[in-house]
Amino acid sequence: SHQETRGSGINGKLGLIFRPVPDFRIGATFQTPTWFYVEDYFSEDLMTSLSGAIAQNPVNPLSGTYTYRLKTPLKGSLGASYVIAGQGIISADVDFIDYSSTKFSMNGGGMLTQDMAADNAEIKKFYTSAVNYRVGGEYKIKDLSLRAGYGLHGSPVKDDKQKIFDTQYFTGGLGYRINEYYFDIAYQHVQSENRYSPYLLNGAEPTAEIKNANNNVFLTFGVRF
């Protein structure tokens, strides 16, 4: 089997910055939902082997294209930053996202399919709003910049009192600038956790706890003009 998904989307973002004193800034942004047009192409085929001979399944291969619309949540953000003695900066941001507002719809309108209506009902049932936090700092020593940060993406799952589905981000980096050229290297450590059950049994079913840890390194070269 093979599946290929392609899509395009559009959204809008509005932001404001208030600067009460030269070294302190407060900002707010509002991002509209993103409206996606998605196209899924799928194909299925079956091969059988009998007595060492490979034969094509008599059923004709299946293939087709399925299109639909997807609306992702809007996002509101607040942030602030403060410059320390012209050499350091600390910043903090907070986002609000309502994941339960995610919605599938038919391309061109019309009545939803049974599967699509069930997906929308599942999203309303199991997902909720969440708050994301980020804090970071940078300190400059001549042309060298030292950076560090921490982020927490709140669990989008409803009734997740233990915050099992939170995602944490730990970051660090170095930056070096020579005239109009700059080089940056950043390290990111991402921690998340999931729990899965093969079946339901009045709360007594076995559960697998899966802890994920990803390490990413980013290298950037740029020119300012």
Side-chain angles (χ1 to χ4, degrees), residues 33-124:
T34 302
W35 291 274
F36 282 103
Y37 166 80
V38 186
E39 183 179 70
D40 286 346
Y41 170 78
F42 67 91
S43 62
E44 296 180 357
D45 198 358
L46 180 63
M47 303 291 289
T48 60
S49 178
L50 299 175
S51 301
I54 299 177
Q56 179 75 34
N57 191 319
V59 178
N60 292 329
L62 299 176
S63 64
T65 301
Y66 182 68
T67 60
Y68 56 94
R69 300 282 178 173
L70 171 63
K71 186 192 78 170
T72 61
L74 59 82
K75 180 171 71 173
S77 303
L78 291 173
S81 65
Y82 183 71
V83 178
I84 304 172
Q87 287 186 288
I89 184 172
I90 56 174
S91 63
D93 299 276
V94 59
D95 304 327
F96 175 83
I97 306 175
D98 184 6
Y99 292 97
S100 66
S101 64
T102 302
K103 187 177 181 180
F104 293 95
S105 61
M106 296 294 294
N107 184 34
M111 184 177 296
L112 298 179
T113 65
Q114 185 176 356
D115 289 340
M116 192 174 288
D119 288 340
N120 287 339
E122 291 285 299
I123 292 171
K124 288 288 186 182

Side-chain angles (χ1 to χ4, degrees), residues 120-134:
N120 287 339
E122 291 285 299
I123 292 171
K124 288 288 186 182
K125 181 179 179 181
F126 292 108
Y127 289 89
T128 185
S129 58
V131 178
N132 302 333
Y133 304 92
R134 293 180 300 277

Side-chain angles (χ1 to χ4, degrees), residues 96-207:
F96 175 83
I97 306 175
D98 184 6
Y99 292 97
S100 66
S101 64
T102 302
K103 187 177 181 180
F104 293 95
S105 61
M106 296 294 294
N107 184 34
M111 184 177 296
L112 298 179
T113 65
Q114 185 176 356
D115 289 340
M116 192 174 288
D119 288 340
N120 287 339
E122 291 285 299
I123 292 171
K124 288 288 186 182
K125 181 179 179 181
F126 292 108
Y127 289 89
T128 185
S129 58
V131 178
N132 302 333
Y133 304 92
R134 293 180 300 277
V135 61
E138 177 180 302
Y139 186 75
K140 291 185 177 181
I141 305 173
K142 294 184 178 180
D143 294 327
L144 181 66
S145 298
L146 308 177
R147 306 186 184 102
Y150 171 77
L152 174 66
H153 285 192
S155 171
V157 179
K158 191 176 292 185
D159 299 325
D160 183 11
K161 296 180 181 180
Q162 298 181 359
K163 304 301 180 182
I164 297 170
F165 296 98
D166 284 355
T167 301
Q168 297 185 82
Y169 297 81
F170 302 86
T171 61
L174 296 172
Y176 187 71
R177 182 171 180 177
I178 306 175
N179 298 324
E180 68 271 21
Y181 303 98
Y182 64 90
F183 304 85
D184 288 297
I185 184 169
Y187 166 75
Q188 181 189 66
H189 176 77
V190 184
Q191 292 182 186
S192 62
E193 183 176 339
N194 290 300
R195 293 188 179 182
Y196 298 98
S197 298
Y199 51 83
L200 298 178
L201 188 63
N202 298 323
E205 64 275 2
T207 302

Side-chain angles (χ1 to χ4, degrees), residues 7-25:
S8 59
I10 187 172
N11 63 25
K13 181 182 289 187
L14 175 66
L16 298 172
I17 296 177
F18 176 58
R19 193 174 179 180
V21 294
D23 293 334
F24 183 57
R25 295 184 180 183

